[in-house]
């Protein structure tokens, strides 16, 4: 099963349900300008004294008139209280510690993670990350104001480097004026003769089983670029959600995104936004209520046409004639640093973790010298809000409490809010079986060529017994909820609850289930995470039993970045490993004879 954001994206069914649930909010849906009756809504009123003009604005505050197309400012990502400051040339380092408590002992992985911020030039990004390819897609938009303003879905135009709108047989370049990611809406503008806006109804009045028409340009690569209108009903309304997301049984397909969902009178009830599809499931469409469009226009101080509820119902052909002049086909090219997308920062990273152990009855912490350290290095592309668009790191911080390459990074909100959520998909490996092989040392090749030494030292002077394991990889859903708990000067304390659960086709008990809470301290002035402290439990299912084990994880920002020495270990005291002692002699170990 899949949910399709009809312009470009497709994600798993489970994530789709999370997305749909996340649409709810506690905001008041009823726009003061969305009640019944004819006339204009959102009358312009001058700002009160001291009120800052909204940006971007579509109305000149001094005159109350809509600005010209040439003077219309395009949408830009706004700075927020919490965001990473990735100044090229800066370097910083974290001390990383994780532990899992087993019966009679505690296993620990301790080490460091270094970051260096590089200048994100196109040549350097292509060298370390690869070329960022441009993609093309189509969507639908519709007129809401005579001066060239149209509404579509945010996912249709976000990241666009070029938008072409085809309306009434003519082509226009479009600007993005505003984006509302939370409700998947966008306001765009074209320089065109006066448009015919679609009147808005109060979407709170939309009823279950009400007849609607979905208008748009679906599947243009198959069906061509002529306008399509499908008929159906509002088959579901989630009344527990303040957003009242509409479920539709009308035909909705990729390319319909951003298209108007209208009543039989030709009034706007909603905006087609997403599609749920899959084997054994009839296609189900979803629409954003029209009152969300009204709220976006109110924000821009743009008047819009309110529906006259006394108008008669229209026959299908008459409705098509009324709506067609207001609907545009969008051809969108998405590329690097497109509109509404914050610029990426390019980081190089190098991290190393080593295994330590603490046993009951022993004093101190002991380094396991035979264990291979976890070493990772590579590059990240990261946005100011912590969204990682490229990561070639390969290792977790055991036991999968974090990804080593992003251990010092957390997801931040893209707007100034007190609470936010984040959902992602990871891959968790499950060890199935192992075999042991003899690993040669650096002298083995030399000795093999010698007739005498080759007979007695086939694997060199100091060979090792190495475990080679095979794994099964499980997808896992990670969900995290963040809440700002306090502020003190430049420091913001954030509480985070998180859960990571593997997903299995046979619906069996998850192999791996991690849950816990973190306390995060973010330094606003430095634009970095100062510390992370996680405590939780992990449930691991094996052989019909479930082991529940306490786990912890700590990541602390160093006072300075100091390059590692030749062994790869940082040289400053803060990042030094715990004091270690040789492992005591343990009886019962068998010495392996590797001479034959």
């Amino acid at each position: 099963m899949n949910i399709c954001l009809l312009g470009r994206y497709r994600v798993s069914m489970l994530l789709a349900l999370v997305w749909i649930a996340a649409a709810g909010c506690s905001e008041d849906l009823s726009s003061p300008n969305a009640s019944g009756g004819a006339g204009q809504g959102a009358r312009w009123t001058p700002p009160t004294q001291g009120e800052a003009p909204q940006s971007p604005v579509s109305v000149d505050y001094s005159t109350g008139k809509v600005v010209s197309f040439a003077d219309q400012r395009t949408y830009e990502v706004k700075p927020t209280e919490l965001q990473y400051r990735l100044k090229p040339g800066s370097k910083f380092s974290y001390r990383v510690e994780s532990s899992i408590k087993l019966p009679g002992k505690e296993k620990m992985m301790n080490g460091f993670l270094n970051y260096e911020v590089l200048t994100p030039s196109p040549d350097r990004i292509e060298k370390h990350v690869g070329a960022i390819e441009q993609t093309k897609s189509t969507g639908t938009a519709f007129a809401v104001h005579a001066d060239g303003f149209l509404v579509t879905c945010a996912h249709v135009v976000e990241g666009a480097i070029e938008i072409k709108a085809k309306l009434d047989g003519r082509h226009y370049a479009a600007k993005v004026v505003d984006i509302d990611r939370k409700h998947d809406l966008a306001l765009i503008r074209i320089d065109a003769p006066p448009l015919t806006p679609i009147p808005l109804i109060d979407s709170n009045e939309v009823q279950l089983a009400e007849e609607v028409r979905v208008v748009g340009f679906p599947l243009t690569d198959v069906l061509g670029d002529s306008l399509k209108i499908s008929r159906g009903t509002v088959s579901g309304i989630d009344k527990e959600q303040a957003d009242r997301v509409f479920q539709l049984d009308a035909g909705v397909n990729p390319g319909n995104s951003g298209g108007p969902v209208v009543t039989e009178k030709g009034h706007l009830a909603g905006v087609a936004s997403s599609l749920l599809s899959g084997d054994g499931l009839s296609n189900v469409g979803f629409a954003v209520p029209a009152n969300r469009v009204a709220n976006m226009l109110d924000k821009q101080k743009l008047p819009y046409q309110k529906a006259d509820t006394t108008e008669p119902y229209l026959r299908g052909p008459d409705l098509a004639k009324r709506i067609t002049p207001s609907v545009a086909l969008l051809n969108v090219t998405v590329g690097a640093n497109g509109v509404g997308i914050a610029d990426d920062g390019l980081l190089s990273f190098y991290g190393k973790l080593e295994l330590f152990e603490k046993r009951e009855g022993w004093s101190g912490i002991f380094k396991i010298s035979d264990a291979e350290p976890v070493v990772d290095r590579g590059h990240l592309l990261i946005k100011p809000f912590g969204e990682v668009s490229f990561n070639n790191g390969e290792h977790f911080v055991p036991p999968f409490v974090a990804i080593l390459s992003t251990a010092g990074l957390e997801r931040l909100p893209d707007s100034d809010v007190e609470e936010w959520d984040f959902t992602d998909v990871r891959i968790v490996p499950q060890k199935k079986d192992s075999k042991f092989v003899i690993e040669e040392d650096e002298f083995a090749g030399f000795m093999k060529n010698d007739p005498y030494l080759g007979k007695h030292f086939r694997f060199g002077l100091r060979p090792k017994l190495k475990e080679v394991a095979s794994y099964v990889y499980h997808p896992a859903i990670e969900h995290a909820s963040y809440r700002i708990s306090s502020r003190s000067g430049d420091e913001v304390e954030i509480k985070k609850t998180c859960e990571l659960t593997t997903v299995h086709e046979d619906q069996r008990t998850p192999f791996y289930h991690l849950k816990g809470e973190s306390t995060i301290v973010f330094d606003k002035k430095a634009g970095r995470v100062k510390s992370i402290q996680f405590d939780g439990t992990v449930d691991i299912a094996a052989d019909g039993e479930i082991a529940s084990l306490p786990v912890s994880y700590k990541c602390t920002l160093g006072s300075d970045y100091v390059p590692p020495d030749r062994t790869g270990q940082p040289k400053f005291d803060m990042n030094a490993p715990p004091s270690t002692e040789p492992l005591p002699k343990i009886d019962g170990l068998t010495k392996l004879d590797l001479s034959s």
Side-chain angles (χ1 to χ4, degrees):
M1 294 183 183
N2 297 289
I3 190 167
C4 180
L5 298 178
L6 301 172
R8 301 193 299 271
Y9 307 118
R10 187 173 293 269
V11 296
S12 71
M13 170 65 173
L14 188 53
L15 288 180
L17 298 179
V18 172
W19 176 83
I20 293 168
C25 70
S26 58
E27 298 175 35
D28 182 11
L29 248 187
S30 56
S31 166
N33 303 297
S35 58
Q40 297 291 321
R43 297 290 186 183
W44 176 83
T45 54
T48 58
Q49 187 172 4
E51 178 185 351
Q54 299 184 45
S55 178
V57 293
S58 300
V59 172
D60 187 327
Y61 277 97
S62 62
T63 65
K65 295 181 179 180
V66 175
V67 299
S68 67
F69 179 81
D71 293 334
Q72 176 71 64
R73 282 182 282 170
T74 56
Y75 177 82
E76 295 179 355
V77 178
K78 301 174 185 176
T80 59
E81 178 188 21
L82 303 177
Q83 65 179 58
Y84 293 101
R85 303 184 187 281
L86 305 175
K87 182 180 179 181
S90 60
K91 301 176 181 180
F92 50 104
S93 184
Y94 287 92
R95 168 70 173 160
V96 181
E97 305 168 73
S98 72
S99 74
I100 180 168
K101 292 183 179 179
L102 305 169
K105 59 185 176 181
E106 182 178 0
K107 295 274 190 180
M108 292 166 282
M109 294 294 292
N110 297 335
F112 67 94
L113 175 64
N114 288 342
Y115 288 117
E116 180 177 358
V117 184
L118 307 177
T119 303
S121 65
D123 290 344
R124 179 169 273 173
I125 290 177
E126 184 170 353
K127 175 183 177 182
H128 296 299
V129 177
I132 300 177
E133 297 183 357
Q134 295 182 2
T135 59
K136 295 183 181 294
S137 62
T138 61
T140 305
F142 59 94
V144 291
H145 190 282
D147 286 333
F149 292 93
L150 302 99
V151 163
T152 185
C153 280
H155 73 261
V156 172
V157 298
E158 197 169 36
I161 57 176
E162 181 182 66
I163 304 171
K164 293 289 187 182
K166 181 182 179 183
L167 181 64
D168 199 21
R170 299 182 63 182
H171 293 82
Y172 304 93
K175 293 180 178 181
V176 177
V177 177
D178 197 8
I179 289 178
D180 178 2
R181 290 185 185 86
K182 185 173 185 180
H183 303 106
D184 196 22
L185 291 175
L187 181 67
I188 65 174
R189 190 175 185 185
I190 59 175
D191 189 9
L195 305 182
T196 305
I198 298 177
L200 280 65
I201 65 168
D202 179 0
S203 54
N204 285 334
E205 301 301 321
V206 173
Q207 301 296 312
L208 189 67
E210 185 167 339
E211 295 275 351
V212 292
R213 310 293 175 95
V214 177
V215 185
F217 297 90
L219 304 171
T220 54
D221 54 342
V222 177
L223 303 178
D225 60 1
S226 61
L227 189 68
K228 312 294 188 302
I229 301 178
S230 60
R231 181 177 183 177
T233 63
V234 177
S235 56
I237 302 175
D238 188 352
K239 294 184 178 180
E240 294 183 2
Q241 298 287 351
D243 281 325
R244 291 170 56 87
V245 175
F246 299 146
Q247 178 180 322
L248 312 173
D249 61 13
V252 180
N253 290 287
N256 274 122
S257 267
V261 177
V262 299
T263 67
E264 290 188 300
K265 295 182 179 181
H267 302 155
L268 184 74
V271 183
S273 62
S274 56
L275 169 69
L276 189 66
S277 65
D279 296 337
L281 176 70
S282 299
N283 286 357
V284 177
F286 293 92
V288 181
N291 284 7
R292 284 298 169 200
V293 176
N295 291 347
M296 175 175 274
L297 297 176
D298 285 344
K299 177 184 173 184
Q300 292 291 328
K301 310 298 184 186
L302 284 173
Y304 54 87
Q305 184 177 347
K306 291 167 54 179
D308 180 357
T309 57
T310 65
E311 287 183 337
Y313 292 98
L314 301 174
R315 297 185 311 114
D318 294 332
L319 186 146
K321 290 178 182 177
R322 177 172 180 171
I323 294 297
T324 298
S326 305
V327 184
L329 168 65
L330 299 183
N331 287 282
V332 182
T333 303
V334 175
N337 300 322
V339 67
I341 303 294
D343 292 346
D344 287 308
L346 178 62
L347 281 72
S348 66
F349 65 86
Y350 173 58
K352 181 179 180 181
L353 301 175
E354 295 183 290
L355 179 62
F356 296 82
E357 188 173 299
K358 182 178 182 180
R359 294 193 178 185
E360 291 183 1
W362 293 4
S363 62
I365 298 173
F366 303 92
K367 181 177 179 180
I368 310 301
S369 58
D370 294 356
E372 289 285 337
V374 175
V375 178
D376 211 359
R377 66 176 75 226
H379 294 84
L380 300 172
L381 276 179
I382 181 173
K383 300 191 182 303
F385 313 120
E387 179 183 351
V388 176
S389 52
F390 176 84
N391 180 5
N392 62 355
E394 298 180 347
H395 295 287
F396 287 93
V397 177
F400 311 114
V401 293
I403 300 172
L404 179 55
S405 57
T406 58
L409 305 171
E410 289 282 351
R411 285 296 292 264
L412 304 174
D414 59 5
S415 59
D416 287 325
V417 294
E418 297 296 304
E419 298 181 4
W420 63 99
D421 295 318
F422 163 64
T423 300
D424 200 1
V425 178
R426 284 200 200 174
I427 299 296
V428 174
Q430 179 182 7
K431 189 175 180 180
K432 297 301 290 183
D433 53 54
S434 301
K435 63 180 180 179
F436 289 88
V437 297
I438 299 172
E439 189 177 61
E440 300 174 340
D441 68 8
E442 62 269 26
F443 298 106
F446 166 75
M447 292 180 173
K448 281 181 180 178
N449 295 326
D450 186 279
Y452 174 78
L453 295 177
K455 293 173 60 177
H456 298 278
F457 301 96
R458 292 193 310 171
F459 303 103
L461 295 174
R462 302 181 65 184
K464 292 182 179 180
L465 194 64
K466 183 177 181 180
E467 181 184 15
V468 179
S470 62
Y471 294 88
V472 173
Y473 296 92
H474 302 290
I477 303 298
E478 178 188 14
H479 182 70
S481 296
Y482 297 83
R483 174 180 58 85
I484 294 177
S485 58
S486 65
R487 292 177 173 84
S488 178
D490 291 323
E491 293 186 358
V492 178
E493 184 180 270
I494 303 166
K495 297 294 185 181
K496 171 187 174 183
T497 59
C498 61
E499 193 166 4
L500 179 67
T501 308
T502 54
V503 180
H504 308 273
E505 292 183 357
D506 54 7
Q507 302 298 316
R508 63 182 170 88
T509 301
F511 151 67
Y512 183 91
H513 180 211
L514 173 74
K515 59 183 177 181
E517 296 184 354
S518 297
T519 299
I520 303 161
V521 178
F522 188 84
D523 187 330
K524 295 189 295 183
K525 184 176 181 180
R528 295 171 190 164
V529 170
K530 191 172 182 179
S531 65
I532 303 169
Q533 175 66 57
F534 169 83
D535 293 286
T537 58
V538 59
D539 297 333
I540 301 176
D543 300 326
E545 297 183 358
I546 298 177
S548 186
L549 306 171
V551 295
S552 66
Y553 164 69
K554 186 177 181 181
C555 187
T556 309
L557 181 67
S559 57
D560 253 326
Y561 173 97
V562 178
D565 60 23
R566 292 184 180 180
T567 67
Q569 188 66 43
K571 293 177 287 187
F572 53 96
D573 293 340
M574 179 178 179
N575 280 5
S579 58
T580 62
E581 304 171 23
L583 283 171
K585 182 178 179 181
I586 303 176
D587 296 330
L589 295 181
T590 303
K591 184 178 180 181
L592 296 176
D593 183 5
L594 300 179
S595 62
S596 61

